[in-house]
Amino acid sequence: MLPKPPPGVVPFIAGRSEEESYIGPLTLLPGRTGLAYTDETPYDRDSFGALWVRAPLRPKARCGKPRLERVHAFRQRRCMLDMRCQVCRQSPPDPDGPHLFLMRDVGRPVEEGERTTSPPVCVPCAVIAVQVCPPLRDDGYVAAWVGQAPAWGVAGTPFVPGTVTKIPGRDLVQVEYGTRGLPWVVAARTVVALHTVTPADLHEEAARMGPVALEREFARIAAVVAGTTPARKRVTAPCRSS
């Protein structure tokens, strides 16, 4: 049995009612080579040139109610860039990995080269997530340590090439960096590819940490979510199998 999670944990990447993402006013790049914002700033594109939705960031007291079924585009992108935990935003013990990834169980383990828009998690937050996240709790989950998770592309809203017209009925379409479709999508998620994949057992990972360390980490996570403790303060504990 996994230890009971603390109540009220809201993932860092969760959407909020007052932080709705939106697509800015669109135009075409010179030569009709792709989409652009009419009032575009350097913050509207990532380092690979993809155009992104605009995602407001507000103080905690003004960000509104959690929308757990939604993902905040900027926070998801930040977690993928730095391999931060998507729940408590904790930086990884080793930036070079491995990193723990969780996915809903679709009848197979996490595969080599698989793509995902779900950022990594630390072990304590994984223990929480599989008990309180409805898709993981109800449908089951698979976990894996991943040695490398390079950026593969983006997931976003596609547009008819040469126009500013959305393609009807399509959303969060995955497009690889450097391909012809990239200039015609407005990104809302970073997509990474998973390499050097090793299956993980959360029960074993939790047992390796021990109940005392887990309880301390649960307290840290609850404080981070409540906004009373900086994310960088954490209890040092083992978090991977050797």
Side-chain angles (χ1 to χ4, degrees):
M1 293 290 292
L2 293 173
K4 185 177 180 180
V9 173
V10 177
F12 174 64
I13 67 169
R16 299 275 181 164
S17 59
E18 299 302 318
E19 293 182 328
E20 294 286 346
S21 299
Y22 64 96
I23 296 176
L26 288 170
T27 186
L28 297 177
L29 290 169
R32 303 172 71 89
T33 56
L35 299 169
Y37 287 145
T38 58
D39 56 350
E40 189 169 317
T41 75
Y43 301 104
D44 288 317
R45 293 186 186 270
D46 63 24
S47 58
F48 295 91
L51 185 66
W52 275 74
V53 296
R54 289 174 169 173
L57 289 168
R58 304 192 190 284
K60 189 174 182 64
R62 294 169 43 208
C63 64
K65 297 180 180 179
R67 295 289 186 261
L68 299 181
E69 73 282 5
R70 301 175 187 172
V71 173
H72 190 277
F74 176 80
R75 290 195 285 266
Q76 187 268 356
R77 180 178 163 191
R78 178 185 175 188
C79 284
M80 285 298 204
L81 177 65
D82 298 329
M83 286 288 107
R84 291 174 177 262
C85 174
Q86 63 170 287
V87 178
C88 71
R89 70 182 186 275
Q90 175 64 45
S91 298
D94 184 350
D96 296 325
H99 309 287
L100 183 64
F101 281 80
L102 281 180
M103 294 186 184
R104 184 164 53 182
D105 188 1
V106 293
R108 58 171 176 77
V110 180
E111 297 181 340
E112 182 70 22
E114 187 162 347
R115 302 192 298 268
T116 183
T117 60
S118 181
V121 288
C122 63
V123 169
C125 284
V127 171
I128 294 171
V130 299
Q131 297 182 80
V132 303
C133 176
L136 300 177
R137 181 191 62 210
D138 300 338
D139 300 337
Y141 66 91
V142 289
W145 288 105
V146 174
Q148 299 177 11
W152 176 88
V154 297
T157 302
F159 286 71
V160 177
T163 75
V164 293
T165 303
K166 294 181 183 179
I167 297 179
R170 302 186 68 191
D171 197 14
L172 289 184
V173 173
Q174 293 190 6
V175 180
E176 187 175 4
Y177 284 128
T179 62
R180 295 174 61 183
L182 188 68
W184 304 106
V185 66
V186 179
R189 309 277 193 281
T190 294
V191 180
V192 298
L194 308 181
H195 297 286
T196 317
V197 175
T198 303
D201 185 318
L202 281 189
H203 290 81
E204 292 181 1
E205 300 294 344
R208 185 173 290 106
M209 289 191 69
V212 173
L214 265 178
E215 289 298 329
R216 289 175 179 170
E217 281 292 273
F218 283 176
R220 176 189 66 83
I221 293 162
V224 167
V225 171
T228 58
T229 303
R232 65 178 177 272
K233 293 183 179 180
R234 70 188 299 270
V235 177
T236 301
C239 63
R240 62 157 296 189
S241 53
S242 57

